[in-house]
């Protein structure tokens, strides 16, 4: 389906904004090392969801869907990895404390 | 374009997962009141991006795009509002401390 250039531009703007938005969060976490307020459930669901979107884009051969989700998966996985790593570290520290 | 039922299902699964993923983060923040690790830039870009997606869906009359983004905008705005509110509160508290 073909839309007016302005509408297509709005779609690309939307895709660019939502794709880029995940990078500041990953950068903030890599910089501060703080993931306390981050929801593990969010980044679990989000990462699986983005992977499904990417696979969907690949199957239907939709370039933008494939590329946008492949890019978004990187910061999402960075946040998820840091969150899980901190949770495991904290659990380990509590066990040592409790003897 | 029509795809096999399995592919369409994958697309709906992806949409459901990424849409739902934002709720646990909003709930966590409303529960704990902690937004320290949350990136303001992420939720600014994300909220504007989701609003653009919703508008795009409305213009091209795509129901799923419109509905998914209208739903996602709610938890995104909750996180953004809490983050901004905490930042303004902290700035105010620092000013009082500094006399």
């Amino acid at each position: 389906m073909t839309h007016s250039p302005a509408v297509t531009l709005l779609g690309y703007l939307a895709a660019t904004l939502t794709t880029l938005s995940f990078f500041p969060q990953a950068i903030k976490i890599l910089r501060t090392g703080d993931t306390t307020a981050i929801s593990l459930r969010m980044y679990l669901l989000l990462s699986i969801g983005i992977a499904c979107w990417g696979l969907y884009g690949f199957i239907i051969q939709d370039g933008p869907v494939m590329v946008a989700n492949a890019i978004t998966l990187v910061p999402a996985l960075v946040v998820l990895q840091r969150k899980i790593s901190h949770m495991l570290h904290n659990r380990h520290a509590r066990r040592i404390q409790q003897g």
Side-chain angles (χ1 to χ4, degrees), chain A residues 24-69:
Chain A
Q25 182 67 77
I27 292 166
K28 187 183 172 87
I29 281 171
L30 289 175
R31 217 177 253 166
T32 64
D34 178 20
T35 60
T36 319
I38 297 296
S39 162
L40 172 69
R41 279 195 192 89
M42 165 171 173
Y43 284 89
L44 269 177
L45 292 174
L46 184 71
S47 299
I48 300 168
I50 294 169
C52 287
W53 270 126
L55 184 62
Y56 177 76
F58 179 74
I59 293 171
I60 68 164
Q61 284 295 302
D62 184 308
V65 170
M66 205 160 47
V67 171
N69 285 288

Side-chain angles (χ1 to χ4, degrees), chain A residues 3-94:
Chain A
H3 306 292
S4 80
V7 174
T8 303
L9 200 71
L10 178 65
Y12 277 114
L13 177 69
T16 306
L17 284 170
T18 50
T19 301
L20 288 184
S21 71
F22 294 95
F23 285 89
Q25 182 67 77
I27 292 166
K28 187 183 172 87
I29 281 171
L30 289 175
R31 217 177 253 166
T32 64
D34 178 20
T35 60
T36 319
I38 297 296
S39 162
L40 172 69
R41 279 195 192 89
M42 165 171 173
Y43 284 89
L44 269 177
L45 292 174
L46 184 71
S47 299
I48 300 168
I50 294 169
C52 287
W53 270 126
L55 184 62
Y56 177 76
F58 179 74
I59 293 171
I60 68 164
Q61 284 295 302
D62 184 308
V65 170
M66 205 160 47
V67 171
N69 285 288
I71 294 172
T72 314
L73 194 57
V74 177
L77 285 178
V78 165
V79 174
L80 182 64
Q81 190 276 328
R82 291 285 82 198
K83 179 67 187 179
I84 292 174
S85 159
H86 291 164
M87 286 177 75
L88 292 176
H89 180 83
N90 288 344
R91 184 182 290 180
H92 184 68
R94 269 202 307 277

